[in-house]
Amino acid sequence: MLRGGAQSFGFVKPALAEQLRGIEPAIEISSGAVTLPPGLLPRLNELARAVGIPTRAEDFDVRAAPEGAVLGVLDRGALPSFGVIGSGCI
């Protein structure tokens, strides 16, 4: 599970969780949950690029619930790695 403070918004594999913590020691990993301090949420794209996730310059709002508040912004190419569901309209 991936959390921003108390809000759950995605899932990351253990290897990616360790990579992220190596870049940003404030990230907590315990009991299968990865918790990002709220101050890191505006930097999701920066974290994705730092671990080598390719991006496409197409940002999506990250929310804990479809109608919830925007927690951060993440590139479309990084959504699957962070286990974030993307939705949009045509």
Side-chain angles (χ1 to χ4, degrees), residues 68-84:
V70 175
L71 303 174
V73 175
L74 189 59
D75 186 86
R76 181 176 76 114
L79 292 176
S81 296
F82 282 77
V84 174

Side-chain angles (χ1 to χ4, degrees), residues 11-71:
F11 296 90
V12 294
K13 293 182 179 179
L16 178 57
E18 290 298 335
Q19 283 183 293
L20 292 169
R21 186 166 56 177
I23 293 165
E24 185 56 62
I27 294 173
E28 296 179 19
I29 302 172
S30 65
S31 303
V34 177
T35 304
L36 306 176
L40 279 181
L41 294 175
R43 297 179 41 214
L44 290 173
N45 280 329
E46 181 182 325
L47 293 171
R49 285 188 296 273
V51 296
I53 297 171
T55 58
R56 298 182 171 134
E58 296 179 44
D59 288 340
F60 277 64
D61 290 339
V62 173
R63 303 168 190 262
E67 301 300 322
V70 175
L71 303 174

